[in-house]
Amino acid sequence: MNGPAVSVVICAYTEDRWEDILAAVASVRAQSRPALETLLVVDHNQALLERLTSEYKEHRESGEVRVLANAGPRGLSAGRNTGIAASSGEIIAFLDDDAVAERDWLRWFAEGYADPRVMAVGGRTVPVWASGRRPAWFPEEFDWVVGCAYKGLPDGVARVRNVLGGNASFRRAAFDAAGGFATGIGRDGDKHPLGCEETELCIRLTRARPDAILLLDDRAVIHHRVPGARERFGYFRARTYAEGLSKALVARSVGAGKGLESERRYTTRVLPAGVARGLRDALLRRRGGAGRAGAIVAGVTAAAGGYVVGSVRARRGDVTFSVGGIPTGEGGEGGSS
């Protein structure tokens, strides 16, 4: 196999996603460019850890699929850091536990690293709506709310400020230079719909390595399941508010200049165009036009409110985060086989 070896990390936390987790692993094993290994990191859930260990016990000796316990505090960032520490590949790719990768996903990632300056390559995440189709009111500009690629991202292969964590890969040297994912910013199960941990890491990376290139390749596609609860406006509002809280922490870490660089273009160009399209569709009596325009305005308002609250809390020291260290050695292996 030519090119760098790729390890894949999938972080899981609940048995409610059992079938999704199995489908995610199966999609990695079916890649046209095989992964060196798949690391399943379980976030402080002993029952899930033991169940997955039993499910993949036949692959334990070969190392094709390994099940590990999160060696750090509860949350997605520490789980990813555990996977990084346990991995052996030159490239580490991350796949959400409720997503499946298309057959050439790793092929496109690996090709992106031909230039040694490339430190990260991200892909395109397509939503799979539980209801069977996009809610009429849900604007494509806000697909990041459900962890997917959104209208406003560049097409083809393009340089970006940051990749999106559920469909991303990094050169191991990136973590050597910048450290791991920061804890206290991103997801902690389903309790808080936070995010931005990959944004903070990518900005920290380009500060540590000013020559670093970060790419988005929209040919590296995964399909991400969106449960019914996340198709509702209540979740939309909560997630956009939480994004504002997270962005405040990122800005405090890396400065508002870099921390909000991409967001300024998004809010001054992409979103106004989305509102205009929605209003036009409403005038033409097309389904959902007014709802989409209203949702964009509501989303911006909620995110701005979260940013203000998050900034105040950060200044007061009410919330903290720390740059994720990469644990020494592997996370604990799963239960008995």
Side-chain angles (χ1 to χ4, degrees):
M1 180 175 62
N2 296 325
V6 182
S7 298
V8 177
V9 175
I10 301 172
C11 296
Y13 70 96
T14 175
E15 289 184 272
D16 293 342
R17 292 184 176 180
W18 178 255
E19 296 299 330
D20 294 329
I21 296 167
L22 300 187
V25 173
S27 74
V28 175
R29 296 181 64 198
Q31 289 293 297
S32 61
R33 186 190 194 284
L36 175 66
E37 59 191 348
T38 300
L39 300 163
L40 267 171
V41 183
V42 180
D43 191 17
H44 298 270
N45 184 330
Q46 186 63 29
L48 178 60
L49 181 71
E50 293 176 358
R51 191 177 178 188
L52 285 171
T53 299
S54 177
E55 178 72 22
Y56 293 107
K57 62 183 178 181
E58 295 179 5
H59 306 281
R60 191 171 185 173
E61 288 187 10
S62 67
E64 182 186 0
V65 181
R66 295 157 58 201
V67 181
L68 309 170
N70 180 0
R74 186 181 301 274
L76 180 58
S77 290
R80 286 173 173 167
N81 291 339
T82 297
I84 295 165
S87 65
S88 302
E90 180 186 344
I91 308 300
I92 302 108
F94 298 92
L95 178 66
D96 277 344
D97 65 342
D98 53 355
V100 293
E102 291 192 359
R103 181 170 169 77
D104 291 330
W105 179 60
L106 290 182
R107 171 194 165 196
W108 297 122
F109 273 174
E111 287 190 7
Y113 291 96
D115 184 335
R117 296 173 300 169
V118 173
M119 289 289 120
V121 181
R124 177 164 58 93
T125 302
V126 178
V128 179
W129 304 96
S131 61
R133 66 176 184 177
R134 171 186 300 275
W137 62 268
F138 203 114
E140 292 181 38
E141 292 83 358
F142 276 82
D143 278 5
W144 55 263
V145 165
V146 291
C148 295
Y150 56 91
K151 194 177 188 67
L153 288 176
D155 297 324
V157 180
R159 293 186 68 161
V160 291
R161 180 196 64 181
N162 63 275
V163 296
L164 303 180
N167 179 12
S169 63
F170 291 84
R171 200 183 290 274
R172 181 174 298 280
F175 302 111
D176 295 337
F181 289 91
T183 58
I185 293 181
R187 294 271 178 160
D188 177 3
D190 269 338
K191 291 192 291 185
H192 305 289
L194 301 174
C196 296
E197 65 275 16
E198 65 273 4
T199 301
E200 192 275 341
L201 170 62
C202 288
I203 295 172
R204 187 162 21 99
L205 169 61
T206 52
R207 285 187 166 181
R209 291 280 303 266
D211 63 333
I213 295 173
L214 284 63
L215 297 176
L216 175 66
D217 186 339
D218 66 5
R219 298 170 298 179
V221 178
I222 69 169
H223 298 265
H224 184 264
R225 190 174 68 83
V226 181
R230 297 187 182 185
E231 295 185 13
R232 299 170 187 161
F233 183 73
Y235 179 81
F236 179 91
R237 183 172 53 194
R239 178 67 184 88
T240 51
Y241 177 79
E243 184 76 359
L245 293 174
S246 300
K247 280 291 191 295
L249 285 176
V250 172
R252 186 164 180 81
S253 170
V254 299
K258 272 291 184 184
L260 300 177
E261 181 180 56
S262 296
E263 288 72 15
R264 290 192 182 94
R265 177 189 174 277
Y266 172 72
T267 55
T268 58
R269 297 184 186 179
V270 176
L271 295 186
V275 171
R277 277 192 300 273
L279 294 175
R280 179 200 62 197
D281 287 349
L283 289 172
L284 295 173
R285 297 185 180 181
R286 292 173 180 166
R287 181 173 175 267
R292 290 192 297 276
I296 290 174
V297 173
V300 171
T301 302
Y307 184 82
V308 171
V309 171
S311 297
V312 171
R313 290 179 180 175
R315 284 197 297 270
R316 290 177 178 173
D318 295 341
V319 290
T320 58
F321 68 93
S322 59
V323 173
I326 304 300
T328 303
E330 299 186 0
E333 290 284 353
S336 59
S337 40

